[in-house]
Amino acid sequence: MSHSTAPDTTDLDAAIARSAETTLAALSRAREAIHGVIFGQEKVVDLALVTILAGGHGLLVGVPGLAKTKLVDTLGTVLGLDARRVQFTPDLMPSDILGSEILEETADRRRHFRFIKGPIFAQLLMADEINRASPRTQSALLQAMQEHHVSVGGERHDLPRPFHVLATQNPIEQEGTYPLPEAQLDRFLLEIDVGYPDRVAERRILIETTGVDEARPVAVLSGEELMQAQRLARRLPVGESVVEAILDLVRAARPGEGDASVTDKLLWGPGPRASQALMFAVRARALIEGRLSPSVEDVAALAEPVLKHRMALTFAARADGETIPALVRRLVERLPARTSG
């Protein structure tokens, strides 16, 4: 019996290594396929992939016309997910998203309720302009995001697996918006800023999207393969230096705990969910970049999208021209040397 244990362990390790290599190669192909359709938004694409690979939901913030909808459609196709879109408006009701029960009558005059599923029953849902809907409708969506099921008429209905929401949000300064409350913002793994493309990228957009032939996304993964990649991401070992960097960063962003020159400018800071989000996200970023272990560099790169929607400035700090991204950059600069974890 003692002779059979070592070969079995070796075979298992080899199988795990082969599976990891296959997943890394597939993720690389998926990343290239998305970049081949979405131009000038490389960082946004990578952060959206990190969000999904980490098993979370993302909030895309930017003005209209920056290919946010096209990004979600492309992600759905390339990752093999059933993707749907809901346009949020002030009169949108929770039942328009979750679904509703209708009363049906059979041939023998018996009546019963039948549940009609709403668009939330998808693997990838785009909640377009989420901050245009009323708080009641926002809450219905965010509860489903957290609990992965909906309750209608006292009955529980489980959502598909995997299930991800990529919501878009207009800048709060625009009229007709209902800002998401802090407790609901915390449900999003990352907040991803979508900016204007640079001149080179915009030139490519002009040339490649206004002719007869336009780049089309192709399926690279299936939903099951994506879930395998998500499971692999959760198994990646995280070194002690990376764990300490996450704790240092998150705790330094809390009033009363970090450096007063930063925390005196904050009304509140990130809770433990931010630490969890960083742990999930750094593993996902490592995989997307072809590595099987995250580093402190990953923590630094993801600090802003993980933290900025989980912090708020005091009125005095805003009056002085301070911004959350600038404070987060200051905290990142104080992290130890960015070496591998």
Side-chain angles (χ1 to χ4, degrees), residues 14-310:
I16 292 172
R18 284 196 301 273
S19 175
E21 288 172 5
T22 301
T23 299
L24 288 175
L27 287 173
S28 177
R29 291 196 306 274
R31 187 187 191 188
E32 288 176 11
I34 298 167
H35 283 307
V37 177
I38 305 295
F39 311 133
Q41 299 287 4
E42 287 78 10
K43 184 178 180 182
V44 171
V45 168
D46 286 350
L47 288 175
L49 276 173
V50 165
T51 301
I52 292 175
L53 191 56
H57 311 287
L59 184 63
L60 302 165
V61 180
V63 297
L66 296 178
K68 297 187 292 293
T69 302
K70 187 174 183 179
L71 170 61
V72 178
D73 288 342
T74 302
L75 282 167
T77 300
V78 171
L79 300 179
L81 301 177
D82 172 27
R84 298 183 191 179
R85 174 178 174 270
V86 175
Q87 177 65 51
F88 279 58
T89 57
D91 61 349
L92 192 74
M93 298 296 290
S95 59
D96 295 327
I97 303 169
L98 308 182
S100 58
E101 288 188 321
I102 62 171
L103 184 62
E104 287 190 331
E105 186 173 315
T106 60
D108 57 359
R109 298 298 181 99
R110 291 184 180 179
R111 295 180 177 180
H112 67 281
F113 285 100
R114 182 165 67 92
F115 178 62
I116 304 295
K117 292 181 177 180
I120 200 170
F121 286 86
Q123 293 174 312
L124 179 62
L125 178 71
M126 180 177 189
D128 209 359
E129 297 184 302
I130 187 174
N131 57 331
R132 288 205 179 279
S134 68
R136 179 185 177 191
T137 303
Q138 292 176 6
S139 297
L141 172 65
L142 291 159
Q143 181 184 18
M145 287 164 52
Q146 182 70 16
E147 300 175 9
H148 288 146
H149 70 265
V150 302
S151 295
V152 178
E155 293 290 325
R156 169 175 167 154
H157 303 275
D158 290 328
L159 294 170
R161 297 281 182 168
F163 173 69
H164 301 281
V165 173
L166 290 179
T168 70
Q169 178 173 294
N170 293 323
I172 296 301
E173 294 77 16
Q174 293 192 359
E175 292 184 10
T177 59
Y178 300 84
L180 290 170
E182 293 73 29
Q184 295 184 352
L185 282 172
D186 200 28
R187 307 284 174 88
F188 288 98
L189 187 85
L190 302 182
E191 180 182 313
I192 304 168
D193 282 336
V194 185
Y196 295 107
D198 61 26
R199 186 181 182 90
V200 173
E202 191 161 2
R203 187 177 193 279
R204 186 180 175 194
I205 292 169
L206 278 176
I207 293 170
E208 297 197 24
T209 65
T210 59
V212 175
D213 297 320
E214 186 176 344
R216 304 283 181 188
V218 294
V220 174
L221 298 177
S222 66
E224 182 56 43
E225 288 170 330
L226 174 61
M227 287 193 289
Q228 289 175 3
Q230 291 172 334
R231 288 191 288 269
L232 175 62
R234 283 190 172 234
R235 293 192 185 105
L236 291 193
V238 180
E240 192 66 24
S241 64
V242 176
V243 173
E244 291 301 316
I246 290 172
L247 288 171
D248 288 346
L249 181 68
V250 174
R251 296 183 70 83
R254 293 173 184 163
E257 290 199 40
D259 188 322
S261 66
V262 172
T263 58
D264 283 354
K265 298 175 174 60
L266 296 172
L267 277 176
W268 64 80
R273 193 175 278 161
S275 305
Q276 294 172 319
L278 270 170
M279 280 288 277
F280 289 134
V282 296
R283 287 171 165 140
R285 185 175 190 266
L287 266 190
I288 287 169
E289 298 205 339
R291 294 178 278 115
L292 292 174
S293 180
S295 68
V296 176
E297 178 63 41
D298 294 315
V299 179
L302 292 165
E304 189 178 322
V306 168
L307 294 181
K308 65 185 172 186
H309 59 298
R310 295 179 165 100

